[in-house]
Amino acid sequence: MRYTQLTDPQVHDMLGVIGVDTVDDLFSPIPPRFRVKGELNIPRGVSELELLEDTHQLASRNRDCTEQVCFLGGGAYDHFIPTLVDALAAQSEFLTAYTPYQAEASQGILQLFYEFQTMVCLLTGMEVANASLYEVASAAAEAVLMATAITGRRRILVAETVHPDTQRTLAAYMQQQDVEILTVPVRDGVMDEESLKQRLTDTTAALVIQSPNFFGCIERLDRIIPPVHACGALAIVSTDPIAGGVLKPPGAFDADIVVGEGQALGIPLQYGGPYLGLLATREKYLRKMPGRVVGMTTDLNGDRGFCLALQTREQHIKRERATSNICTNQGLLAIRASIYMAAMGKHGIGEVASRCFDKAHYAAERIAKLKGYELRFPKAPFFKEFLVRTSRGVDAVLARCRDRGILGGVPLGRFDERYADCFLVAVTEKRTKKEIDDLASALDAA
Amino acid sequence: MTTLRTSPLISRETTPLGPSLRSGDHPVLFEIGSPGLWGASLPESDVPTVRREAVVPKELLADVPPPLPEVGELDIVRHYKRLAHRCFSIDGNFYPLGSCTMKYNPRINERVAFMPGFAHVHPYQDDADVQGLLELLYRLRCDLAEIAGLAEVTLQPAAGAHGEMTALMIINAYHQSRGQNRTKVLAPDTAHGTNPASCAICGRQSVSIKAKSDGRVDLDDLRSKVDDDTAALMITNPNTVGIFDEQIADIAEIVHAKGAQLYLDGANMNAILGITRPGDFGVDCMHYNTHKTFSTPHGGGGPGAGPVAVAEHLRPFIPVPQVIRKDDGTYTWSDDRPQSIGKVRSFFGQVGILVRAYTYIRSLGCDGLRDVSEKAVLAANYLAAKLKDRYPTPFPPPHAHEFILVPQFGDSGVTELDLAKRLIDYGIHPPTMSFPIHHCLMIEPTETESLATLDRFVEVMLAIADEVEQNPAVVKSAPHTTPVRRLDEVAASRKPNVRWRAG
Ligand SMILES: Cc1ncc(COP(=O)(O)O)c(C=O)c1O
C-alpha cells in the first residue's frame, strides 16, 4: 500500500511480539457496532500516474494568473516572487519539521523566525512581532482580544473601510465575547474622522483601521491615532507590508498593534490561502501578545542560540488563561516571507513599492480618462489599488476584459450594494505599461 | 546488540576544513551583506515616475525604505541552506512526536499544490474560471464528511485550534437558536491545551472532568458536571493517552441527555480511518488536522487546515460561504445560510493545504486509509511491547496509534527531558514530553516507518537506559552533537530578546 513500508511477513512477526493474532485484535476496544462494515464510500487508491492525471485534469479547468493578466486585488495580490523563495522554502528540513519545541534540534527554523520577527518589526515600524498568525482577518480579531485584555474595555470601533472579510471575522469572534462593535462610516474613500471623534468614548477599547484600506486609499493615520489615544483606546492598524517601501509604517504614527496580510511577501495566490497573518506591537505588550515568539539566548557554553520564548502565554501551558488558542501557525509562509524580505532587501522593497505606486497611478490616470469611467474616490490618495466607477455595467466590462485574457478588477457589488457600479483595480510591479494600456483599451471597447 | 552510534546533526567540533558551525559562529541575516547589495532584480520602470508629494500628503510618506538586510543572492542561498541543515525533519530523522502524526509527507502533494491551476488563482476570480478547483474542494468536503460519518464539512478553519473555535461557535449558535445560552464546556483534564483555550476565545467557561487511572473518562465525574448549562463536552478519542475509550456510547448518552453536544478533537484520527466513524459513535461535531492525518506537511509549525464536520442538526450554523454543486453540475460558493456564524477568516480557507489533503486522500483511497490506521496502530503497539520491560506504560494495551511511557530512572537523577535530549544525539527527534501527564513521553511512530527504523528506535531507547545506569552524566548533559548545547530557556523568557537590534 502507498507510503507504508511493513511487509506481510513483518506484520505477522510484529503481531507475534505484541502477542495478538490479527491486526483486528488491536482494535478490540472499539465496540463492534461502531465498526465500519466494508469500505468507506471513497474511491480506492490510485497510482501516482493516475493521481497526476486526475489532479492535472482538475487544475487545467482553472484559468490561472500565469495565462492571464491579473489586476485583481482586494487583499490578495499578484506580486513577483523571486526564484529563491520557492527554491529555498522547499527545502524539506523546513517543509517536514514540526514546531520547534526541541530547540537544539531546530536551531535553523528558530533563527529564521527570529529574523522574521525582526523584519516584520522593520516593515511595520513596531518594537516586537510574533512568529505568525493564520491570516489578516483572524489576526485582527486576535489584536482586538488583546486590546480588550489590555484596556479592560469591551467596545471597539471598526472603520467601514476595513476589508469586509476582516469585518465579518471580527463580528463572528466578538459575538462570542459580547464585545460590542461600532462601525465608523466612510467618507470620500477613507474613514470619516468626524464620525470617529463622535464615537470615541472612555469605554472604547480600540479602533480597527486599515491603511491602505479596502478601497486602496491611504488613511490619515497621523490625524486619526491621536484622538484614539486621547481617550485611552488602542489603535490597531491593518497594513500592507509592501506599502512600507513608500509610506511611513503604522509604527511611525504610534500605532499600538499592527496586523497585516503577509501574502504580498512571496506567497502565491493559491485562491486565498494559506496566507500569513502578521502581528506586531509595543514591547510593553509583549506578554499579552498571541502566538509563538522566538527569543535569542545562550547555551551551556555561552554560545548564542534560539528557542521559543514566553511560552507561558500559550495554550499548552496556560490552557484557558492563554492569550490565544493558536497552536499550529503559518510557519512555512513565515519562512517564505523571510526569504522574500531577505532577497528584496532594503533596496528591493523600496523598488517594488515604488513600481506599484507609479504603475497604479499611471493606470488610474489612463482609466479615468476613458468615457464612462471615473475614479470613485478622486480625492483620496492611494498606493497600489483604486476604485473605478463605470456607467457601462461592471459585469459587462469585466467580462469583456476576461475575453481578452485580462482580469480587470474585483466587482464590489458583491460586498456592498452602494458600490454595485464599481470595481477595484490593483496594479503590482509585475504589470507592464503595455498590459495597463491593454486594460484601458479593453475597458474602452467594452 | 550492534553498537549504536550517535549521529551528529552537525558536529560542534572544529573541522580540518575550517570553522565549525557552532551557532555562535553562524551569523544572523543582519550581520551579513553590505550596503547597496540586494538578492533580487526588477525590470526598469516603463511608466512615468509620479512625484509622491504631489499625490500623497507628505506626512504619510517614508523618507527611506525600511532598513531590511542588504545581502547578495549567493549569500542568501548559503544562509538559508545552513539554517536548513540545523533542523530535524521527517525527511531526515525518525520523528515519533506524539499527538502530531509526523508521517511521511508525499512529494506528490507538493507537486500538485504548485500546479499553476491551483497555486496561481486569485480568490476573486469568477467561479467559471475555477471550476476544477471548486470541484476538488467539493469532493474533499464530501470525502471528509464520509470519513467522519457526519453530514457536512466546512473547509474554512485554518488549523486544529481554529477548527475547535469554529465548532464551538457553531454549537453556541445551535443552542442560541433554541433560546439557550449555555456557558460551560467540559473537557477531560488530559485534553490538549487548545481545547480549554478555544473555550475561552468563545467566551465559555471550561470545566475539566477527571480521567480514571486507566485513562478513560470518569463517568461519575462526567454525570456530576453535565447540566443544563453545559454547551458541549470536548473529547479526544482515541484519547491523548493513546487509548480508545470504549465507554464512548455511554459518554454520548450522558451528554445528549442534558441537551449538550459531543465534540471530537480529531487530532487522533490517524488511528481510526475507515475503522470507525465519529458520527457513528455519537459525535455531533469534530475537527480534522489535515497536517496530521492527511500529511499536508507541518512546515516548521504550519500552515495546517482544520476542516470541521457536523451532524445534520448543526448544518444551518456552519461558516459561509460553502462550496456547492449546482443542479447543472457546476460548482459555486453559496452564502445562503441565514443562521450561519459568518466567517472565521479571510477568503475561503487554506486552499493550498486542502489541495494537498485531497491529493493524499485520492492517492490512498478507502483501502489505503484503512491501511494507514492499521499500520499506525500496529507500529505503536509493537514499540510499546518491545519497550515495556525497561519503559513501562501506565496504561495497558492495546494502544491506539500512540502510547505513553513514564521513564523510571530511579535515583540516577536523569529525567524525561534528559532522555529526550539524548535521543537527539542518536538522530531521533524526541517524543512529546510531559503531555498529557507529568514526566511522560508520548510516542507516535506513524504508519510510514520501516521495521528497521522501529527496531533501531527500540535499540536506542534500551541503549540510553543502559547509559543511565552506567554513565548518567552523558545523558544528563545531552545533547552533545547539535550546533548548540542545552539552551537557557528561562533567560529567554525572563529577559526576552525577540528581535535583532543593530549595534
Ligand atoms: C490533541 C490535539 N488537539 C488539538 C491540537 C491543535 O491543533 P493545531 O495545532 O492544528 O491548531 C493538537 C495539535 O497540536 C493536538 O495534538
Side-chain angles (χ1 to χ4, degrees), chain A residues 136-137 140-141 162-171 208 210 238, chain B residues 346:
Chain A
V136 69
V162 168
H163 194 294
D165 277 359
T166 302
Q167 293 193 51
R168 291 182 81 176
T169 302
L170 285 172
V208 182
Q210 178 180 334
S238 172
Chain B
S346 26

Side-chain angles (χ1 to χ4, degrees), chain B residues 78-222:
Chain B
R78 290 210 177 120
H79 181 72
Y80 288 102
K81 197 80 217 160
R82 287 182 181 148
L83 292 184
H85 281 160
R86 291 156 177 256
C87 300
F88 269 37
S89 62
I90 301 174
D91 276 9
N93 309 79
F94 181 43
Y95 216 126
L97 189 64
S99 205
C100 301
T101 312
M102 300 300 283
K103 59 168 84 177
Y104 168 59
N105 302 138
R107 280 294 171 282
I108 179 90
N109 295 353
E110 298 305 307
R111 178 167 174 187
V112 172
F114 279 97
M115 289 179 174
F118 298 134
H120 301 298
V121 282
H122 190 283
Y124 290 142
Q125 274 183 254
D126 246 60
D127 289 346
D129 275 4
V130 290
Q131 282 298 302
L133 184 47
L134 295 184
E135 178 168 349
L136 179 151
L137 296 174
Y138 181 81
R139 285 188 196 169
L140 177 64
R141 91 162 168 81
C142 295
D143 287 351
L144 293 177
E146 168 68 10
I147 294 167
L150 287 163
E152 188 167 352
V153 166
T154 170
L155 300 172
Q156 203 175 99
H162 205 225
E164 293 169 18
M165 181 205 76
T166 305
L168 289 173
M169 288 180 175
I170 292 169
I171 289 170
N172 288 342
Y174 164 77
H175 290 307
Q176 279 155 6
S177 76
R178 296 154 54 96
Q180 296 175 351
N181 188 30
R182 295 177 171 232
T183 64
K184 282 196 327 199
V185 174
L186 313 183
D189 49 17
T190 49
H192 194 258
T194 50
N195 290 189
S198 297
C199 296
I201 290 260
C202 288
R204 309 292 125 162
Q205 187 203 346
S206 92
V207 176
S208 66
I209 54 168
K210 285 204 248 8
K212 292 185 295 184
S213 58
D214 64 2
R216 276 105 176 141
V217 167
D218 182 335
L219 292 185
D220 293 331
D221 195 46
L222 175 63

Side-chain angles (χ1 to χ4, degrees), chain A residues 98-99 101 134 292 315 325-329, chain B residues 98-101 158-164 190-195 198 236 238-240 263 265-268 287-292 298 301 303-306 402 432 435 442 444:
Chain A
Y98 193 67
T99 303
Y101 287 125
Y134 304 134
R292 282 185 204 122
Q315 46 74 29
N325 67 338
I326 192 167
C327 179
T328 290
N329 62 11
Chain B
S99 205
C100 301
T101 312
H162 205 225
E164 293 169 18
T190 49
H192 194 258
T194 50
N195 290 189
S198 297
T236 312
N239 62 21
T240 54
Y263 177 76
D265 177 333
N268 290 346
H287 82 257
Y288 286 98
N289 300 68
T290 62
H291 38 305
K292 302 180 183 196
H298 281 278
E402 63 194 7
T432 296
F435 169 75
M442 189 205 281
E444 180 181 9

Side-chain angles (χ1 to χ4, degrees), chain A residues 292-373:
Chain A
R292 282 185 204 122
V293 185
V294 171
M296 185 188 279
T297 184
T298 50
D299 74 357
L300 277 177
N301 296 343
D303 285 331
R304 182 162 84 193
F306 301 87
C307 64
L308 292 175
L310 301 161
Q311 293 192 59
T312 50
R313 297 165 302 115
E314 292 189 66
Q315 46 74 29
H316 59 282
I317 312 262
K318 269 282 161 57
R319 302 178 75 85
E320 67 275 11
R321 285 178 298 122
T323 53
S324 164
N325 67 338
I326 192 167
C327 179
T328 290
N329 62 11
Q330 303 289 100
L332 195 63
L333 290 324
I335 291 171
R336 288 188 74 97
S338 288
I339 300 166
Y340 178 89
M341 291 187 278
M344 280 299 169
K346 177 180 174 180
H347 180 71
I349 202 83
E351 288 291 304
V352 170
S354 302
R355 300 294 160 81
C356 292
F357 187 82
D358 291 342
K359 291 182 183 217
H361 283 79
Y362 174 73
E365 199 184 301
R366 286 287 326 252
I367 294 170
K369 281 197 195 125
L370 303 175
K371 202 162 156 289
Y373 296 89

Side-chain angles (χ1 to χ4, degrees), chain A residues 76-108:
Chain A
Y77 303 93
D78 184 29
H79 284 289
F80 171 63
I81 301 176
T83 306
L84 284 193
V85 177
D86 282 329
L88 297 175
Q91 296 180 92
S92 67
E93 291 87 346
F94 297 150
L95 193 67
T96 72
Y98 193 67
T99 303
Y101 287 125
Q102 294 291 342
E104 298 85 351
S106 319
Q107 281 300 295

